[in-house]
């Protein structure tokens, strides 16, 4: 069904089923982004800490992880998690007595994207940490801070301020990369849009819709990051 | 290495015995020994690279020593079993470059270590921190960030930050060397106040007038050894070693 006057068919405005799908996809994308933003940042913080470890094997493992995830395509990583790892894990009985995979598609998408963006975050945090002078760390040590306390209370807060622009870039990339979850049938924006255009043959309309929505989402993220950047800016330090 | 021993105030509060330290092939300390009694002020002078900073940094175990023994109130500072925090509660250190935490205000800089490291009550620490701000004559600057303070002001915040841990010994490593001549005095006055209250102080300094006035004992180091030491009157008026004579003639 096409609107006769314009020829533009935006089904989600008049079809409540499509509208529900669209809204569901929109929130799925937001939820997936938030989960991955959170965990990839945690991975970055922990990974950068491990990279500064005194134990050579800890550093090597952290380095290996970074190389693996930075130098392979994120789609391949997602397939690896979903098809390879997913099949190796045991299946569990669900409430109806059927066997189900241990983790659902969403979980695998979140895991693989978090590791993907996390690998970049480790490098980003490390560059920030390297900008913190050794003498500042030493002052903390002289005041009785142990290594972890100095990292959490002194080094990391300072590193954050230095590496926020780079972190910003990577997180924007992450939000855009959530569309890969389409490939393992997570009903995020791209996936539901595809369903809608398959039903209603309105590919150009849905494509424009997608672009507009992603511009809005990424714009929101960038705005939030800039606000944060301003909020933690201190006179005489960082950018 | 010897283990920690009980300490009584009639014994040296800092006891350095035959300490050796190398960085790679460079031998920086070659058998340094010195004792400091509680309440004493000692000044260490010597040419650049003679190991003064390294010696101070060994006292609070920022740098490990190769040989010898350093005890602070009987704590063997390089005993692997030593709880470093116990040592660092006893020893405060102030650096040439202030090394304040730039993302925290002056007051927060002073409060941070007692709150996060010693887990003391925040409200109580704040009361003490404000008293310390007053003591270093920085009332009204509580909420300024280090980037908004002059060098002299930052250095006084750094002194207050160390004092907030209630140390028994203070180490000052050329704390006025990075300052403008006009602001040197305000920092020296702060240190003098501390010394007059009976704080044990080890100072590395090039402020000879200040050393002469304040020190109980002077040490001259060159290439990792203590060449000469003595009470300031004698030390300055009648240095015996030619290296001391040469250094003093250059600097005075
Ligand atoms: N962490 C380190 N690694 C390698 N060498 C070091 C280190 N710290 C100090 N040194 C070397 O040890 C020697 C003594 O340095 P130290 O800083 O103790 O001298 P100093 O007497 O404080 O000199 P200055 O008056 O210039 O501050 C120097 O040759 C220095 O290069
Ligand atoms: Mg020095």
């Amino acid at each position: 069904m096409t609107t006769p006057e314009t020829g533009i068919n935006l089904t989600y405005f008049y079809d409540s089923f499509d509208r529900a799908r669209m809204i569901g996809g929109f929130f799925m994308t937001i939820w997936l982004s938030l989960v991955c933003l959170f965990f990839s940042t945690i991975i970055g913080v922990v990974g950068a800490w491990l990279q500064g470890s005194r134990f050579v094997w800890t550093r090597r493992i952290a380095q290996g992880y970074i190389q693996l995830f930075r130098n392979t395509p994120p789609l391949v990583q997602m397939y690896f998690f979903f098809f390879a790892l997913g099949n190796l894990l045991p299946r569990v009985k669900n409430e109806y007595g059927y066997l189900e995979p241990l983790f659902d598609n969403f979980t695998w998408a979140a895991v693989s994207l978090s590791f993907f963006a996390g690998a970049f975050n480790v490098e980003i945090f490390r560059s920030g940490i390297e900008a913190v002078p050794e003498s500042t760390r030493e002052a903390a040590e002289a005041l009785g801070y142990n290594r972890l306390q100095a990292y959490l209370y002194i080094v990391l807060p300072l590193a954050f301020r230095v590496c926020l622009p780079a972190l910003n870039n990577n997180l924007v990339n992450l939000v855009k990369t959530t569309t890969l979850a389409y490939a393992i049938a997570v009903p995020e924006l791209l996936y539901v849009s595809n369903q809608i255009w398959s039903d209603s043959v309105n590919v150009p309309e849905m494509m424009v819709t997608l672009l507009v929505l992603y511009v809005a989402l990424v714009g929101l993220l960038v705005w939030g990051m800039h606000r944060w950047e301003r909020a933690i800016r201190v006179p005489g330090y960082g950018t | 290495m010897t283990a920690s021993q009980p300490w009584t105030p009639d014994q040296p509060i800092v006891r350095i015995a035959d300490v050796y330290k190398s960085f790679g092939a460079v031998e920086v300390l070659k058998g340094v020994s010195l004792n400091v009694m509680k309440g004493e002020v000692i000044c260490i002078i010597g040419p650049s690279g003679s190991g003064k900073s390294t010696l101070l940094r060994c006292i609070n175990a920022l740098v490990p020593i190769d040989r010898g023994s350093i005890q602070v109130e009987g704590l063997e500072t390089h005993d692997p079993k030593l709880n470093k925090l116990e040592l660092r509660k006893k020893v405060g250190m102030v650096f040439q470059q202030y090394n304040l935490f730039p993302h925290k205000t002056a007051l927060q800089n002073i409060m941070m270590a007692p709150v996060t490291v010693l887990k003391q009550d925040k409200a109580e620490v704040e009361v003490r921190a404000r008293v310390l701000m007053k003591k270093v004559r920085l009332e009204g600057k509580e909420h300024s960030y280090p980037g908004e303070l002059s060098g002299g002001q930052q250095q006084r915040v750094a002194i207050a930050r160390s004092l907030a841990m209630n140390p028994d010994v203070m180490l000052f490593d050329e704390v006025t060397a990075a300052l403008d001549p006009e602001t040197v005095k305000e920092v020296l006055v702060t240190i003098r106040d501390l010394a007059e209250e009976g704080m044990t102080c080890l100072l590395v300094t090039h402020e000879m007038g200040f050393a002469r006035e304040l020190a109980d004992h002077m040490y001259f180091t060159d290439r990792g050894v203590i060449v000469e030491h003595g009470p300031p009157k004698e030390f300055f008026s009648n240095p015996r070693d030619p290296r001391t004579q040469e250094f003093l003639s250059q600097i005075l």
Side-chain angles (χ1 to χ4, degrees), chain A residues 3 9 21 26 30 36 41 54 65 76 79 85 113 120 140 150 167 172 192 196 198 208 221 238:
Chain A
T3 321
N9 184 13
R21 286 205 281 201
F26 183 67
I30 290 182
C36 295
T41 307
R54 273 165 295 185
Y65 155 68
V76 176
Y79 279 166
L85 279 187
L113 289 171
F120 288 87
L167 183 65
V172 165
V192 298
I196 293 172
S198 303
V208 171
L221 175 67

Side-chain angles (χ1 to χ4, degrees), chain A residues 135-146 149 153-154 157-158 161 233-237, chain B residues 57 60 62 85 88 91 93 95 99 101-103 112-113 116-117 119 145 147-148 161-162 165:
Chain A
S135 56
T136 306
R137 222 172 311 207
E138 195 167 59
E141 209 186 332
L143 285 166
Y145 286 76
N146 62 32
Q149 287 167 334
Y153 295 104
I154 314 290
L158 292 172
R161 289 168 168 84
R233 184 175 296 164
V234 291
Y237 189 84
Chain B
R57 287 144 49 90
N60 67 352
L62 284 179
L85 181 56
R88 276 151 194 175
V91 184
M93 185 161 191
F95 303 85
N99 299 351
F101 305 134
H103 61 307
M112 265 179 99
T116 51
V117 176
K119 315 271 185 267
Y145 285 93
E148 298 169 321
R161 180 176 69 172
S162 286
M165 296 290 281

Side-chain angles (χ1 to χ4, degrees), chain A residues 28-47:
Chain A
M28 180 61 79
T29 290
I30 290 182
W31 178 232
L32 183 59
S33 299
L34 288 177
V35 169
C36 295
L37 289 178
F38 178 77
F39 284 106
S40 69
T41 307
I42 299 285
I43 290 172
V45 168
V46 174

Side-chain angles (χ1 to χ4, degrees), chain A:
Chain A
M1 189 175 95
T2 311
T3 321
E5 305 85 51
T6 59
I8 296 172
N9 184 13
L10 295 169
T11 56
Y12 48 84
F13 276 128
Y14 57 81
D15 181 334
S16 64
F17 181 65
D18 279 4
R19 184 157 56 236
R21 286 205 281 201
M22 212 48 207
I23 291 172
F26 183 67
F27 283 106
M28 180 61 79
T29 290
I30 290 182
W31 178 232
L32 183 59
S33 299
L34 288 177
V35 169
C36 295
L37 289 178
F38 178 77
F39 284 106
S40 69
T41 307
I42 299 285
I43 290 172
V45 168
V46 174
W49 162 258
L50 294 179
Q51 271 205 325
S53 162
R54 273 165 295 185
F55 304 109
V56 61
W57 274 103
T58 316
R59 293 201 300 271
R60 280 190 194 153
I61 289 168
Q63 196 54 33
Y65 155 68
I66 293 166
Q67 294 305 334
L68 187 66
F69 279 84
R70 273 171 40 132
N71 300 339
T72 53
L75 181 59
V76 176
Q77 293 166 15
M78 194 174 291
Y79 279 166
F80 170 79
F81 275 103
F82 184 66
F83 292 115
L85 279 187
N87 274 334
L88 290 177
L89 291 180
R91 290 170 177 268
V92 291
K93 273 211 171 84
N94 69 9
E95 54 195 303
Y96 308 110
Y98 293 111
L99 281 179
E100 261 190 352
L102 190 55
F103 298 123
D104 62 4
N105 307 30
F106 177 86
T107 308
W108 282 122
V111 167
S112 82
L113 289 171
S114 297
F115 274 108
F116 167 66
F120 288 87
N121 282 347
V122 174
E123 293 282 85
I124 289 167
F125 284 133
R126 194 185 59 169
S127 69
I129 286 166
E130 277 167 4
V132 178
E134 185 55 38
S135 56
T136 306
R137 222 172 311 207
E138 195 167 59
E141 209 186 332
L143 285 166
Y145 286 76
N146 62 32
R147 263 168 54 86
L148 184 59
Q149 287 167 334
Y151 184 67
L152 292 179
Y153 295 104
I154 314 290
V155 176
L156 209 51
L158 292 172
F160 250 114
R161 289 168 168 84
V162 173
C163 68
L164 262 180
L167 183 65
N168 213 342
N169 263 336
N170 189 37
L171 296 186
V172 165
N173 250 327
L174 171 60
V175 170
K176 294 188 286 187
T177 313
T178 58
T179 48
L180 287 184
Y182 166 95
I184 58 170
V186 174
E188 46 69 65
L189 266 176
L190 180 59
Y191 189 84
V192 298
S193 302
N194 178 304
Q195 288 183 322
I196 293 172
W197 79 56
S198 303
D199 293 348
S200 313
V201 204
N202 57 349
V203 177
E205 289 92 331
M206 290 314 296
M207 283 297 174
V208 171
T209 305
L210 274 178
L211 292 177
V212 169
L213 285 176
Y214 276 102
V215 164
L217 274 181
V218 169
L220 195 68
L221 175 67
V222 169
W223 176 79
M225 292 289 285
H226 280 163
R227 270 191 62 125
W228 188 36
E229 214 171 317
R230 266 204 307 280
I232 65 172
R233 184 175 296 164
V234 291
Y237 189 84
T239 43

Side-chain angles (χ1 to χ4, degrees), chain B residues 14-240:
Chain B
V14 177
R15 189 200 290 264
I16 301 175
D18 208 22
V19 165
Y20 286 81
K21 171 69 193 173
S22 303
F23 289 110
V26 190
E27 205 168 27
V28 179
L29 299 178
K30 304 172 198 165
V32 172
S33 301
L34 69 87
N35 287 337
V36 186
M37 299 303 291
K38 190 171 166 51
E40 263 191 333
V41 176
I42 68 141
C43 287
I44 303 167
I45 61 171
S48 181
S50 60
K52 308 179 297 292
S53 300
T54 306
L55 180 63
L56 287 194
R57 287 144 49 90
C58 286
I59 295 174
N60 67 352
L62 284 179
V63 173
I65 58 175
D66 300 336
R67 240 171 343 126
S69 155
I70 301 181
Q71 293 188 354
V72 177
E73 291 185 10
L75 282 185
E76 179 59 50
T77 62
H78 296 274
D79 184 347
K81 292 195 292 287
L82 171 82
N83 177 358
K84 289 251 170 73
L85 181 56
E86 284 308 308
L87 173 64
R88 276 151 194 175
K89 280 199 288 194
K90 296 186 194 302
V91 184
M93 185 161 191
V94 185
F95 303 85
Q96 181 174 339
Q97 293 297 339
Y98 341 124
N99 299 351
L100 292 178
F101 305 134
H103 61 307
K104 297 286 176 181
T105 63
L107 194 67
Q108 288 168 338
N109 261 278
I110 298 172
M111 290 174 58
M112 265 179 99
V115 172
T116 51
V117 176
L118 303 181
K119 315 271 185 267
Q120 291 174 351
D121 178 69
K122 205 167 173 175
E124 274 170 39
V125 173
E126 179 165 345
V127 173
R128 276 197 296 141
R130 286 182 187 278
V131 172
L132 284 169
M133 284 294 284
K134 204 166 172 178
K135 186 184 173 109
V136 298
R137 300 183 172 87
L138 282 173
E139 278 168 297
K141 297 288 185 190
E142 281 83 358
H143 301 295
S144 302
Y145 285 93
E148 298 169 321
L149 297 173
S150 74
Q153 291 171 333
Q154 288 188 59
Q155 194 58 293
R156 282 179 287 154
V157 174
I159 293 172
R161 180 176 69 172
S162 286
L163 293 177
M165 296 290 281
N166 269 324
D168 296 331
V169 177
M170 287 288 287
L171 311 174
F172 296 91
D173 189 2
E174 298 198 43
V175 295
T176 56
L179 301 177
D180 303 328
E182 312 92 76
T183 51
V184 166
K185 192 152 169 264
E186 59 194 38
V187 173
L188 294 183
V189 166
T190 307
I191 298 175
R192 197 189 57 207
D193 290 351
L194 259 183
E196 280 168 1
E197 286 167 22
M199 176 66 78
T200 310
C201 298
L202 281 76
L203 290 113
V204 170
T205 185
H206 291 305
E207 297 292 329
M208 291 305 143
F210 184 68
R212 194 198 303 248
E213 177 199 344
L214 205 68
D216 295 302
H217 213 82
M218 295 294 307
Y219 288 86
F220 174 70
T221 61
D222 189 22
R223 283 174 232 155
V225 294
I226 293 175
V227 173
E228 181 164 357
H229 65 95
K233 259 203 191 109
E234 236 176 277
F235 180 86
F236 283 109
S237 56
N238 194 14
R240 274 159 305 171

